[in-house]
Amino acid sequence: MAEPLLEVRDLVKHYPLTQGILFRRQIGAVRAVDGVSFGLAPGETLGIVGESGCGKSTVAKLLVHLERPTSGAIRYKGEDITKLSGRALKAVRRNIQMVFQDPYTSLNPRMTVGDIIGEPYEIHPEVAPKGDRRRRVQELLDVVGLNPEYINRYPHQFSGGQRQRIGIARGLALNPEVIVADEPVSALDVSVQAQVINLMERLQKEFNLSYVFIAHDLSIVRHISDRVGVMYLGRLAEIGTDTQIYDHPTHPYTQALLSAVPLPDPSAREHRDRIILAGDVPSPAHPPSGCRFRTRCWKARERCAEEVPPLTVPEAFRTAAGPAAHPSACHFAEERKIVSAGSGAEKGR
Ligand code: ADP
Ligand code: MG
């Protein structure tokens, strides 16, 4: 990987868990994000995937400074932005913008599209002088494939896909270098999802953007991602190139997620073992000791309850490390073979 544009180190976000209304006592913490590290190279797309509640949106909010981390660093061009404030922070925030999940609720229904897309200029007037804003907003509408004449319309006059285009135009308003897109197509019809993803790919080339693209499903990010990180209960289970993750997954959780992805080819479907995970995701307020995935894992042994598996390149694959490094947070990542039904999970067809 080239010199990272963005580098996240041991990022932690705990939300206090309180009890009582009058005298709120802290009785614990929700470990929404609990030690996440990754890099993002210029022009790269990193997909982040995991089930609902695993901490994806919290990572997104930390990256764009909507939340402050409990600990850890977020380095942008080498500088830890979690330590910044005032003018320096404002300058950095301009370069890292967010596109939100739900275009139905993230756009203010009482604002015109022009005001929504141009709103970032109120905070950063230096990017576009007042007299120039209308023209810029119209340009942005054009760039995302909407008619510039729609500038005075309201969000309810648009379809879901069009609304997400408005959200993307707003994300582009300040000419950012990084876009953090939190499930940008999850709320859209399947037929529209590809259009929005294609648009994002085109914009990436046109404006040399880097993306953190969040989804809850591995199949959505495959096409757009250079690398993919799989999250489970506040941590990364595995991270690697698309080939590494989709063709040679080493973490049992990734293997299970992939076994649930629909395959277009019926003969491939027939030869595949479906891994059905037992039980539910444990609460992030009380994660299991050691490996968080162990309570649902068919490979789990004693060691998994005792030692937290670090996100490292498995010993046996270390010679092949370097740029092709493919870290996996599993004590038994080297065992390629999927062991059949054991303690945690069932294997079936
Ligand atoms: P995801 O986007 O992967 O679905 P989130 O990052 O939204 O997950 O949430 C991760 C965990 O943190 C969840 O258990 C969620 O309930 C909890 N959480 C998120 N935001 C807050 C908050 N502001 N206060 C308390 N708990 C939160
Ligand atoms: Mg989310």
Side-chain angles (χ1 to χ4, degrees):
M1 198 173 77
E3 187 68 19
L5 186 61
L6 205 59
E7 201 187 1
V8 170
R9 277 289 151 251
D10 302 321
L11 198 60
V12 172
K13 179 68 184 180
H14 290 177
Y15 292 106
L17 197 63
T18 55
Q19 199 175 49
I21 295 161
L22 212 49
F23 303 99
R24 302 190 83 196
R25 284 179 302 130
Q26 187 171 339
I27 53 164
V30 178
R31 300 161 175 229
V33 174
D34 213 16
V36 165
S37 303
F38 60 81
L40 180 71
E44 185 186 38
T45 298
L46 173 69
I48 295 185
V49 169
E51 286 163 288
S52 179
C54 72
K56 305 181 297 295
S57 293
T58 305
V59 168
K61 287 180 206 157
L62 290 165
L63 291 177
V64 300
H65 237 278
L66 285 175
E67 293 276 8
R68 288 258 181 184
T70 304
S71 63
I74 301 171
R75 282 191 275 274
Y76 174 71
K77 295 183 176 169
E79 186 171 33
D80 185 358
I81 62 173
T82 65
K83 304 272 191 301
L84 298 180
S85 59
R87 197 186 286 197
L89 174 62
K90 209 173 142 184
V92 168
R93 284 186 79 168
R94 195 190 127 181
N95 285 315
I96 311 173
Q97 291 290 310
M98 179 123 153
V99 171
F100 292 92
Q101 171 168 7
D102 189 349
Y104 297 92
T105 56
S106 62
L107 306 180
N108 185 337
R110 279 185 282 274
M111 281 167 73
T112 65
V113 163
D115 290 338
I116 289 169
I117 297 173
E119 199 180 24
Y121 299 133
E122 303 291 329
I123 304 156
H124 296 272
E126 75 283 2
V127 181
K130 260 214 155 78
D132 195 30
R133 286 185 199 165
R134 201 178 158 79
R135 190 189 55 78
R136 276 187 71 104
V137 169
Q138 285 182 319
E139 235 175 69
L140 284 164
L141 281 168
D142 187 48
V143 154
V144 299
L146 292 173
N147 189 336
E149 287 169 18
Y150 292 169
I151 189 164
N152 294 323
R153 295 196 182 181
Y154 289 87
H156 71 89
Q157 294 174 283
F158 295 89
S159 68
Q162 288 175 322
R163 282 189 241 203
Q164 197 52 294
R165 286 172 194 262
I166 296 166
I168 292 168
R170 184 189 152 99
L172 291 174
L174 300 173
N175 298 322
E177 292 187 276
V178 180
I179 296 242
V180 180
D182 187 8
E183 301 204 35
V185 300
S186 296
L188 304 178
D189 287 344
V190 175
S191 58
V192 185
Q193 289 184 348
Q195 294 169 17
V196 172
I197 289 179
N198 290 344
L199 168 69
M200 287 186 67
E201 288 194 297
R202 177 169 67 72
L203 295 172
Q204 176 166 44
K205 290 199 196 90
E206 208 168 319
F207 300 104
N208 195 23
L209 297 163
S210 306
Y211 286 151
V212 175
F213 192 105
I214 295 170
H216 60 251
D217 182 335
L218 271 165
S219 60
I220 291 177
V221 294
R222 171 152 211 182
H223 181 66
I224 195 170
S225 302
D226 300 301
R227 287 185 310 136
V228 173
V230 178
M231 275 187 84
Y232 186 80
L233 264 187
R235 298 177 68 96
L236 278 169
E238 178 169 8
I239 186 165
T241 63
D242 58 339
T243 329
Q244 287 168 341
I245 296 295
Y246 292 91
D247 300 338
H248 309 286
T250 60
H251 197 288
Y253 181 55
T254 315
Q255 292 168 349
L257 286 182
L258 279 171
S259 88
V261 168
L263 291 179
D265 174 5
S267 73
R269 239 176 331 205
E270 200 139 290
H271 290 101
R272 179 171 66 171
D273 289 322
R274 238 178 96 74
I275 303 161
I276 298 155
L277 292 178
D280 295 323
V281 183
S283 157
H286 307 283
S289 66
C291 174
R292 286 175 185 203
F293 184 60
R294 72 176 165 84
T295 53
R296 304 172 79 199
C297 184
W298 62 96
K299 281 185 177 178
R301 297 154 222 193
E302 218 166 284
R303 183 176 169 200
C304 304
E306 288 159 5
E307 275 175 58
V308 177
L311 186 68
T312 50
V313 180
E315 197 81 50
F317 308 150
R318 268 199 202 147
T319 43
H326 172 193
S328 181
C330 174
H331 292 308
F332 304 102
E334 286 142 62
E335 291 176 8
R336 282 291 176 91
K337 198 162 61 86
I338 295 175
V339 183
S340 60
S343 52
E346 282 170 37
K347 215 181 70 162
R349 277 275 159 96

